[in-house]
Amino acid sequence: MMKYYNYAAGPSALFPEVVEQIKSELGNWANTHSSVFEISHRGTEFMAFAKEMENTFRELLKVPDDYAVLFLQGGGRGAFDAVPLNLPLKHNRALYLTSGHWSRQPALEAAKYIEVRTAELVDKDYQPTKLDWTQETQDVDYVHFTANETVEGIENFTVPKVSPGVLIVADMSSDILSRPINVSDYDVIYAGAQKNIGCSGVTVYVVRRSLLGHANKFCPAILNWQIYADSDSLFNTPATFSWYTCGLTFKHLKDTFGNLENLEQVNIRKVNKLYDYLDSQDFYVNKVNPAVRSRMNVSFNTPSAELDAKFVKEAQEAGLYYLKGHKVIGGLRASTYNAVSEEAVDALVQFMKLFADKYK
């Protein structure tokens, strides 16, 4: 029987075990005789689940007590506005470090509220530029960067060095919980769930508590971090099903891998199979410098756009889905998030070999 694999960039694959648990609990969650999305978010069962969800997330990421963990709606795009509208601003100015498509979008949004400067972390040839931005940040309030670029397949593993007192904000929508980080190196982390930790509809924020309560007077209540911290993220009706999938995923990560150190080793081994093959041949091309190659999204091209299209079509016929590259740059892309198995990577590499032999 043919096997099917999902390499979608987002919304993306969930762990099969999580999907099976959702199916088994669909009509009777927590002995409520209802599905999880049919009950009150303020009911005893759901509130207990929400607290466990937050605690497990904190344990996995090792979030210190002086950070709030918030669950909002609005996706990453909502965070593009929430960041400049919530942070305390002295200079009313920020530096946005860009490395691809998704780091340019928040800079455009923030420019509605504050002065925005931009600088490239990665140049047009996918080469890293520099990490020390001390000189450039002496008169800004915060620096924003995107940890993983899903379109180009670029991952920034190092926190930029900035001037003392300058806040660091990171969009980790597509690589959060894929590797350990030192949360204290950041002042704000945000992540849309739909890449690596659950279904779309919820955005996780990790915010230094001292930064709460500084929202601009024009900040909508729905984006105000202090309001969500005061209400255990239950200011409004949350996306309960999305919370549910996140909670199941957090528990699965803890039960299966124990910690993010173990999970990181799995992710490195898994994606290196694909990069090792790409580096060993001359039919496919990956343009990203090895120092910033993403572990979550691998972009590549065949010798022509026509062959790229053939690749997508024939891959799907072989049970390999969602390998078309993003519309911004075209080409091909395989996402290898936490829930994408090593078996899926092996299947992709095998197909790539057969396709190359057929058309080269």
Side-chain angles (χ1 to χ4, degrees):
M1 185 173 66
M2 181 184 290
K3 290 188 175 182
Y4 298 90
Y5 301 100
N6 177 2
Y7 308 92
S12 50
L14 294 173
F15 285 101
E17 296 88 347
V18 169
V19 174
E20 289 304 312
Q21 185 170 351
I22 292 170
K23 289 163 63 176
S24 70
E25 296 178 341
L26 197 57
N28 184 17
W29 177 72
N31 203 32
T32 61
H33 305 287
S34 301
S35 63
V36 71
F37 41 83
E38 294 177 290
I39 63 171
S40 171
H41 60 292
R42 300 192 186 278
T44 303
E45 297 86 359
F46 191 83
M47 291 186 72
F49 175 85
K51 179 55 66 176
E52 181 183 4
M53 174 183 70
E54 178 184 336
N55 289 340
T56 307
F57 176 84
R58 283 182 170 275
E59 182 179 348
L60 286 167
L61 204 60
K62 299 179 181 177
V63 179
D65 291 340
D66 60 337
Y67 283 75
V69 174
L70 313 173
F71 298 91
L72 277 70
Q73 293 165 321
R77 287 191 179 276
F80 299 168
D81 294 272
V83 167
L85 287 173
N86 275 277
L87 288 178
L89 302 175
K90 175 183 176 183
H91 304 285
N92 213 43
R93 185 182 301 118
L95 174 64
Y96 278 70
L97 298 175
T98 58
S99 50
H101 176 74
W102 283 113
S103 53
R104 297 187 185 103
Q105 306 311 305
L108 295 173
E109 199 68 16
K112 296 176 180 178
Y113 313 107
I114 61 174
E115 179 186 339
V116 169
R117 296 174 181 170
T118 61
E120 295 286 346
L121 267 177
V122 178
D123 66 23
K124 61 183 177 61
D125 296 318
Y126 300 93
Q127 307 292 319
T129 53
K130 64 177 185 175
L131 293 172
D132 190 337
W133 300 91
T134 306
Q135 291 299 316
E136 294 85 350
T137 55
Q138 292 181 5
D139 60 348
V140 304
D141 295 296
Y142 68 89
V143 170
H144 178 287
F145 78 104
T146 299
N148 185 69
E149 296 279 7
T150 59
V151 173
E152 295 85 357
I154 296 167
E155 193 163 3
N156 298 297
F157 295 98
T158 306
V159 182
K161 184 178 179 181
V162 299
S163 294
V166 174
L167 306 175
I168 294 180
V169 179
D171 176 357
M172 292 191 169
S173 291
S174 50
D175 65 348
I176 196 164
L177 296 186
S178 68
R179 55 186 171 93
I181 62 168
N182 181 11
V183 172
S184 296
D185 288 340
Y186 308 83
D187 296 285
V188 179
I189 297 168
Y190 66 87
Q194 68 274 15
K195 309 289 188 181
N196 230 358
I197 56 178
C199 290
S200 57
V202 58
T203 308
V204 183
Y205 290 75
V206 181
V207 182
R208 197 181 294 274
R209 292 189 190 276
S210 61
L211 299 177
L212 300 174
H214 297 278
N216 184 297
K217 66 179 180 179
F218 299 111
C219 179
I222 201 72
L223 293 178
N224 189 311
W225 296 341
Q226 181 69 68
I227 290 175
Y228 276 80
D230 291 342
S231 61
D232 293 325
S233 298
L234 295 173
F235 167 62
N236 67 318
T237 304
T240 53
F241 184 74
S242 298
W243 282 33
Y244 171 57
T245 61
C246 289
L248 295 185
T249 300
F250 299 158
K251 186 176 186 304
H252 179 76
L253 290 176
K254 178 182 174 181
D255 292 347
T256 304
F257 301 99
N259 55 56
L260 296 187
E261 287 79 5
N262 293 333
L263 175 58
E264 179 182 35
Q265 294 310 307
V266 173
N267 283 331
I268 291 172
R269 183 180 70 242
K270 182 174 66 179
V271 78
N272 278 350
K273 289 186 172 186
L274 184 47
Y275 283 127
D276 288 347
Y277 170 66
L278 286 168
D279 291 341
S280 71
Q281 49 75 61
D282 57 8
F283 181 80
Y284 304 98
V285 175
N286 172 269
K287 301 175 183 178
V288 181
N289 184 289
V292 290
R293 277 178 168 173
S294 172
R295 298 174 188 166
M296 300 290 103
N297 311 93
V298 181
S299 60
F300 58 99
N301 297 77
T302 68
S304 70
E306 292 75 20
L307 280 176
D308 288 346
K310 282 183 180 289
F311 184 98
V312 173
K313 180 177 182 295
E314 295 186 18
Q316 184 164 320
E317 291 170 353
L320 283 61
Y321 281 71
Y322 309 119
L323 288 162
K324 184 178 180 180
H326 192 277
K327 62 183 180 181
V328 170
I329 65 170
L332 302 163
R333 172 176 55 172
S335 295
T336 54
Y337 298 126
N338 289 344
V340 177
S341 67
E342 197 164 346
E343 180 184 83
V345 175
D346 291 337
L348 174 58
V349 171
Q350 182 60 29
F351 174 81
M352 291 172 71
K353 291 177 179 177
L354 293 173
F355 186 87
D357 289 342
K358 181 177 178 180
Y359 289 105
K360 71 181 178 182

